[in-house]
Structures are given as structure tokens and as C-alpha cells.
């Protein structure tokens, strides 16, 4: 789904945050895991904006990459909602 448009750093960043999310779910009593997951989510919001703006294809190649750019933008739009939910989970675990 990522096609050729986005570089490997986009995938590595998002997959490592996914791994942090799995770690935060598995260790329910760890506040550090949820803080690292929240920090990673906030960092990938910034890097996703940079990746999409730098590697956005020109108009003549847009039809080939419409699926991958659409999913990247959709993921970027859902990340603030994820950050809010993870912050609520952080507060439930005793974070200040």
C-alpha cells in the first residue's frame, strides 16, 4: 500500500511506534511504556507531516500513488485521536 512514494524511514518510524504500542498494552502497570508510546506518537505526527510534504508526488504521478498517499494522510488525521486516547490511558495508570 505504500507504493514507491514514501521512503523507508516513514515505515520504520510508524512500525517502531506500533511496537511501542504493543509494549504499552502488554505491560499494563508500566507508566514508562505509555509515556514512550505517547512520545513516539507525537514525534511521528511531526515526521509524517515532513514526509508527506517533502515526498508528495507531482500531479502527473498522483494517480499511481493515490492509495498510499490517501492512507498516509488518513493515518496522520487519526493520530491526534490516538494521542488523546493514549493520554487518557496515561492518566488512568497514575501519570501526572
Amino acid at each position: 500500500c505504500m507504493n514507491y512514494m514514501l521512503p523507508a524511514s516513514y515505515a520504520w518510524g510508524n512500525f517502531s511506534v506500533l511496537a511501542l504500542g504493543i509494549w504499552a498494552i502488554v505491560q499494563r502497570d508500566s507508566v514508562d511504556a505509555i509515556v514512550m508510546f505517547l512520545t513516539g506518537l507525537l514525534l511521528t505526527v511531526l515526521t509524517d507531516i515532513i514526509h508527506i510534504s517533502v515526498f508528495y508526488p507531482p500531479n502527473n504521478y498522483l494517480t499511481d500513488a493515490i492509495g498510499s498517499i490517501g492512507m498516509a494522510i488518513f493515518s496522520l488525521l487519526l493520530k491526534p485521536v490516538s494521542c488523546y486516547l493514549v493520554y487518557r490511558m496515561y492518566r488512568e495508570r497514575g501519570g501526572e
Side-chain angles (χ1 to χ4, degrees):
C1 189
M2 286 178 35
N3 205 355
Y4 59 88
M5 188 195 74
L6 294 171
S9 60
Y10 176 82
W12 277 104
N14 284 307
F15 288 142
S16 38
V17 169
L18 178 66
L20 285 173
I22 292 170
W23 176 45
I25 289 171
V26 170
Q27 290 192 348
R28 294 190 181 270
D29 57 343
S30 175
V31 178
D32 293 335
I34 202 76
V35 167
M36 287 183 65
F37 182 45
L38 183 60
T39 305
L41 271 175
L42 292 172
L43 184 65
T44 57
V45 167
L46 177 67
T47 58
D48 285 357
I49 292 171
I50 292 170
H51 278 115
I52 291 171
S53 63
V54 169
F55 294 103
Y56 194 80
N59 285 339
N60 53 348
Y61 296 110
L62 190 58
T63 58
D64 295 338
I66 196 74
S68 60
I69 192 70
M71 291 305 292
I73 291 172
F74 184 65
S75 171
L76 181 61
L77 290 174
L78 285 180
K79 282 190 182 180
V81 175
S82 299
C83 288
Y84 173 71
L85 294 174
V86 170
Y87 179 73
R88 283 189 51 202
M89 194 182 306
Y90 168 71
R91 298 290 295 189
E92 288 173 4
R93 291 186 185 186
E96 294 181 14

